[in-house]
Amino acid sequence: MVQLNTRIVIIVLAILVVGAAITGVAVSNERPPVTQAPSIPNTTDTATGERVQTQSHTSAQQRYVVTASTAAAINTTTLSRYGAVGTRVDARVELTTSPGNKTAIENISWVSDVRPVIRAHTAETPGSSNGSSLGVSKIHEKDITGDGVRVGVIDVGFEPTNPTIRDNVVDTRSFTNSETPKRHGTSVAEIITQTAPESDLYLASVTNGIQTEAAFGYLQDQNVDIIVSSTGFLSPNDDGDHFLTDDVISARQDGILFVNSAGNLGQTHWEGEFRSTDGDDKHEWTQSGDERNCLPNCQTEYGGELDVYIRWGSENDNSRYRAVLYNPVADQIIARTNTQRATESNRYAALVTDIQTQPVSLIIQHTAGPADDTIEVSVNSNTLSGMERNVPESSLVAPADVPETFSIAAYEVSASRVAPYSSRGPTDTGQQGIDVTGYTNIGVENGLYSVTPFRFSGTSASAPYVGGVAALVEQADSGNPSPATLATTLRSASDDIRVPGDDATSGSGVVNAVDAVESVSSVSITPTPTPTPTPTPTPAPTPTPTPTPTPTPTPTPSSDITVTRSDTATEVTPGTEITITTQITNVSGSVSVNTNYTPPVQSANITDITVNTKTVNPVLSEANQNGSVVVLDNVDTDATVSMSEQLTVAETIGTTHTITGDVATSDTTVSADPLRISVIAAKSPAERYDADDDGNIDIIELGQAGQDFASGELTITELGEVGQAFAS
């Protein structure tokens, strides 16, 4: 306890008595740390009432990959005594059996390894854009339609007889004996047929890693030219060296361009050192000690499916971590990981669950071994829009990380930007990761969704679009281009959309289908019209004009659009939340408000959007660490639009965030004056209450400190420091 002299104690107590009498609040010298996680038992038991789907219950049938000493040594008759034998690739075979049989299978003389299969994840995310033309209709008019080009598609399931793809399907093969959803794979195939309507499709259904390896072999046997996959795997490190690497390289060597979605983890990924400065074995997401990471943010509840993966160390690493989902309002654990696994290169923990709508925070707990690892956290869901604390960089999903993969990011036409959720490079080995960016939010009409047309989105949509463009280029290039040549053509014909040159967010830019086709053929798709001479007309008599009444002028929108931005503070301490308010006047029709944060902030949320003071639902409203975009339609003439953004600044002292951007309408674009927010060192209590900055605390300033203590905004220790400054 800070020692105060008698005079200060009397003054402070008097102030507290008066302040408490006026405000009617209880006086407390303890404030609960709002960012701390609850006590979590260090056990693998699941909490009561959890709906956790795992591979740990010995009563459930699970799929394993059994690896033999050699391919010839595999005896499927022996394996069939333990369960159903599935897909076989080289010296590995899939087996569905009870976990209780795992030890017995490991003891078979020719078995060298038994481990659970690696699940495949689709790269679809909810669409919020109106979509756009695919930019290929002019190419089709020149009879460039992908005719004769063989395109293989690897996905979780298809409906080959669907009218949107059935005329293109040449062959199908399913490597899984379970019923799988059809709409994702069918939509991927449909986008290929929209882009390359006469291409030949070969469809391979998979649900896990070994099945995907078998699918590569099947498609190579079919002599396909291009393979498209909008699936990925969260368990391996994104270092380009894992179970699919050899398959991707083999396909490239066979003359196949492998196109894969980058993933949708740009807003739900985090990577960094595990940190627990208070020794409670719970990861601190920020330097200020925040142990809870809100999903999608701390103002929004979430309900639905969630896959949480934590990766770290090597295959034989002794450290153990797990994910815990926690409801901070009800103070209840929702679900927690109870599985620990390993790939050939790293360890991982997986939490697969389906939760009811509620406030959700993610906690990472260290449970065993050294706590000195770099951890990588990925949260995958088709409905989750973000994670409060996230690191977009290095969020690629395998096999998009393999150098021989042609990896595709997602581009939103309506917002003119890379989709915030789109996974980014670089890879763990420093490779760029992203090759090009393709259109997303594409309308599909296969009738497998609740509405038709359905806006299919995510990198799941951009990959088949680029794959379709590749088929057009393949047909147009009479020289039968190699995969490397085809990839170079697509990169060279891309429109740069960020800083000049390649980058790990958009690659070379957005694929330009017309430029790509024109660059490899003599076909002119967008010819420049040749002017034709206009004959000089014979002069005609000028008639006497007939008087006409002067029309009443029609009101037109004002062109004097004004943009005003303001903030709640220009100098803040690390991790502070601030509010940026943007007001635009004299706008009409379609309005797009674009904001950039440089360098990125920790988190951002759009909290309020109004038109003429009335709250509205925009066509698009998204924000992440790098910036935000709001798109409004049918805005009244000369309206006033206001929006508020809540930002959490960086943790690093000395950072200055510059807030820039513009407002675009159908007629004009107006830039906003930049704002600058500086992150400075936290002031001492005495400095904070020195309102006149004279270096001294007077009785009024001490009185304010006393009232803040009475209301719980100041601790007794902090009050003591202010009192000491007054006494001195």
Side-chain angles (χ1 to χ4, degrees):
M1 175 68 70
V2 177
Q3 298 297 316
L4 306 178
N5 64 36
T6 303
R7 183 165 63 93
I8 297 306
V9 171
I10 294 172
I11 293 172
V12 169
L13 288 177
I15 291 170
L16 292 180
V17 170
V18 174
I22 294 173
T23 60
V25 298
V27 177
S28 170
N29 64 353
E30 291 292 335
R31 288 183 297 138
V34 296
T35 61
Q36 291 297 101
S39 175
I40 304 171
N42 193 350
T43 173
T44 58
D45 294 336
T46 57
T48 303
E50 291 175 357
R51 300 172 61 193
V52 184
Q53 304 168 16
T54 68
Q55 298 184 15
S56 63
H57 305 304
T58 56
S59 61
Q61 293 285 302
Q62 296 166 28
R63 290 182 181 177
Y64 293 87
V65 176
V66 179
T67 304
S69 53
T70 65
I74 294 178
N75 186 327
T76 56
T77 302
T78 300
L79 289 181
S80 64
R81 299 171 187 167
Y82 297 96
V85 178
T87 301
R88 177 173 173 175
V89 178
D90 299 327
R92 286 164 295 154
V93 62
E94 184 182 18
L95 180 66
T96 303
T97 185
S98 167
N101 294 328
K102 183 172 181 288
T103 301
I105 297 168
E106 289 173 332
N107 290 330
I108 297 173
S109 60
W110 48 267
V111 172
S112 62
D113 187 45
V114 180
R115 66 179 70 208
V117 298
I118 296 176
R119 297 176 59 229
H121 295 80
T122 59
E124 181 184 3
T125 193
S128 56
S129 169
N130 288 330
S132 175
S133 165
L134 297 181
V136 292
S137 59
K138 294 293 184 182
I139 301 175
H140 298 164
E141 292 173 4
K142 301 292 183 179
D143 293 327
I144 299 174
T145 56
D147 185 24
V149 180
R150 298 184 170 202
V151 182
V153 187
I154 301 175
D155 212 284
V156 295
F158 304 89
E159 188 178 79
T161 59
N162 192 281
T164 60
I165 64 172
R166 66 187 176 197
D167 292 340
N168 301 78
V169 176
V170 176
D171 194 40
T172 66
R173 181 73 59 85
S174 178
F175 295 92
T176 177
N177 55 11
S178 60
E179 185 67 20
T180 58
K182 311 297 184 188
R183 64 188 191 181
H184 185 273
T186 304
S187 298
V188 169
E190 182 183 342
I191 291 174
I192 295 172
T193 64
Q194 289 182 26
T195 313
E198 294 190 356
S199 58
D200 297 328
L201 297 183
Y202 296 79
L203 311 180
S205 300
V206 303
T207 59
N208 58 47
I210 189 171
Q211 294 173 4
T212 302
E213 292 183 78
F216 269 95
Y218 156 70
L219 293 173
Q220 286 176 261
D221 291 342
Q222 302 303 311
N223 296 315
V224 300
D225 303 295
I226 300 162
I227 296 176
V228 174
S229 176
S230 288
T231 65
F233 299 86
L234 302 182
S235 45
N237 282 334
D238 54 316
D239 57 6
D241 185 13
H242 43 70
F243 68 98
L244 284 178
T245 302
D246 290 344
D247 300 284
V248 175
I249 293 174
S250 176
R252 173 65 73 101
Q253 292 172 342
D254 272 1
I256 301 170
L257 178 69
F258 175 55
V259 179
N260 201 95
S261 56
N264 299 332
L265 302 181
Q267 294 174 296
T268 56
H269 167 269
W270 191 94
E271 184 172 8
E273 295 296 322
F274 180 85
R275 177 175 54 209
S276 179
T277 59
D278 57 6
D280 67 354
D281 280 329
K282 300 181 190 71
H283 175 58
E284 296 166 2
W285 300 93
T286 65
Q287 292 182 6
S288 57
D290 193 344
E291 295 178 345
R292 304 200 304 258
N293 199 342
C294 301
L295 305 177
N297 56 64
C298 295
Q299 292 78 42
T300 308
E301 296 184 345
Y302 176 77
E305 296 181 356
L306 278 178
D307 295 351
V308 184
Y309 279 71
I310 313 169
R311 302 197 301 265
W312 71 92
S314 62
E315 179 182 9
N316 299 315
D317 195 294
N318 292 322
S319 300
R320 297 292 182 270
Y321 303 90
R322 69 174 176 183
V324 179
L325 298 180
Y326 170 67
N327 183 329
V329 175
D331 191 24
Q332 291 179 350
I333 293 174
I334 304 167
R336 56 191 173 194
T337 306
N338 59 9
T339 59
Q340 299 285 333
R341 299 284 184 251
T343 69
E344 290 83 354
S345 59
N346 61 274
R347 292 207 65 84
Y348 70 94
L351 168 60
V352 180
T353 187
D354 188 348
I355 64 174
Q356 296 179 347
T357 301
Q358 58 191 299
V360 182
S361 289
L362 173 62
I363 298 166
I364 303 301
Q365 183 183 23
H366 167 247
T367 60
D372 56 0
D373 298 279
T374 295
I375 61 172
E376 192 162 3
V377 181
S378 300
V379 183
N380 186 73
S381 169
N382 288 342
T383 57
L384 182 67
S385 60
M387 181 167 70
E388 181 193 18
R389 311 290 188 188
N390 60 70
V391 177
E393 291 76 19
S394 194
S395 55
L396 289 172
V397 176
D401 59 326
V402 178
E404 289 75 12
T405 298
F406 201 62
S407 302
I408 315 300
Y411 181 74
E412 295 177 334
V413 176
S414 64
S416 301
R417 65 172 183 175
V418 175
Y421 57 75
S422 187
S423 289
R424 292 152 166 75
T427 67
D428 285 350
T429 57
Q431 300 291 318
Q432 178 175 295
I434 300 296
D435 287 283
V436 296
T437 302
Y439 292 157
T440 189
N441 300 332
I442 299 172
V444 294
E445 299 187 354
N446 50 53
L448 299 179
Y449 295 87
S450 57
V451 295
T452 301
F454 176 77
R455 201 63 61 188
F456 192 66
S457 58
T459 55
S460 277
S462 58
Y465 168 72
V466 173
V469 174
L472 299 178
V473 175
E474 178 90 13
Q475 179 195 349
D477 190 338
S478 58
N480 189 24
S482 67
T485 300
L486 192 54
T488 298
T489 298
L490 293 170
R491 290 193 199 97
S492 300
S494 296
D495 296 326
D496 208 343
I497 54 173
R498 294 172 59 84
V499 294
D502 288 9
D503 59 75
T505 298
S506 66
S508 298
V510 181
V511 166
N512 186 317
V514 170
D515 286 357
V517 170
E518 286 187 330
S519 71
V520 299
S521 69
S522 59
V523 175
S524 179
I525 299 169
T526 53
T528 302
T530 302
T532 56
T534 302
T536 303
T538 302
T542 305
T544 301
T546 302
T548 56
T550 303
T552 303
T554 302
T556 57
S558 168
S559 60
D560 297 329
I561 297 175
T562 62
V563 183
T564 306
R565 278 209 170 105
S566 60
D567 50 31
T568 53
T570 56
E571 290 187 345
V572 295
T573 56
T576 298
E577 288 187 351
I578 63 169
T579 299
I580 303 294
T581 301
T582 303
Q583 186 175 79
I584 310 107
T585 61
N586 300 327
V587 290
S588 310
S590 178
V591 181
S592 176
V593 186
N594 305 285
T595 308
N596 302 306
Y597 318 135
T598 308
V601 296
Q602 289 198 66
S603 65
N605 294 292
I606 298 171
T607 57
D608 188 42
I609 303 170
T610 64
V611 175
N612 293 334
T613 72
K614 294 182 179 179
T615 300
V616 296
N617 293 319
V619 174
L620 178 66
S621 173
E622 294 181 351
N624 66 4
Q625 291 174 308
N626 300 298
S628 68
V629 61
V630 170
V631 178
L632 301 167
D633 273 346
N634 302 317
V635 176
D636 294 339
T637 301
D638 291 341
T640 297
V641 175
S642 296
M643 59 175 281
S644 297
E645 302 165 78
Q646 189 175 67
L647 314 180
T648 303
V649 303
E651 296 284 344
T652 304
I653 295 172
T655 301
T656 297
H657 295 291
T658 302
I659 315 299
T660 59
D662 57 48
V663 176
T665 67
S666 57
D667 301 320
T668 186
T669 299
V670 179
S671 296
D673 291 336
L675 296 177
R676 290 179 176 82
I677 314 297
S678 299
V679 181
I680 61 174
K683 293 183 177 180
S684 69
E687 291 172 327
R688 294 204 309 269
Y689 285 91
D690 183 12
D692 53 11
D693 289 326
D694 64 354
N696 299 304
I697 294 294
D698 58 32
I699 188 64
I700 295 176
E701 293 164 340
L702 178 63
Q704 182 61 55
Q707 289 190 10
D708 289 347
F709 171 73
S711 63
E713 297 178 27
L714 197 67
T715 67
I716 187 64
T717 302
E718 292 170 327
L719 179 62
E721 292 183 30
V722 179
Q724 289 280 27
F726 175 80
S728 63

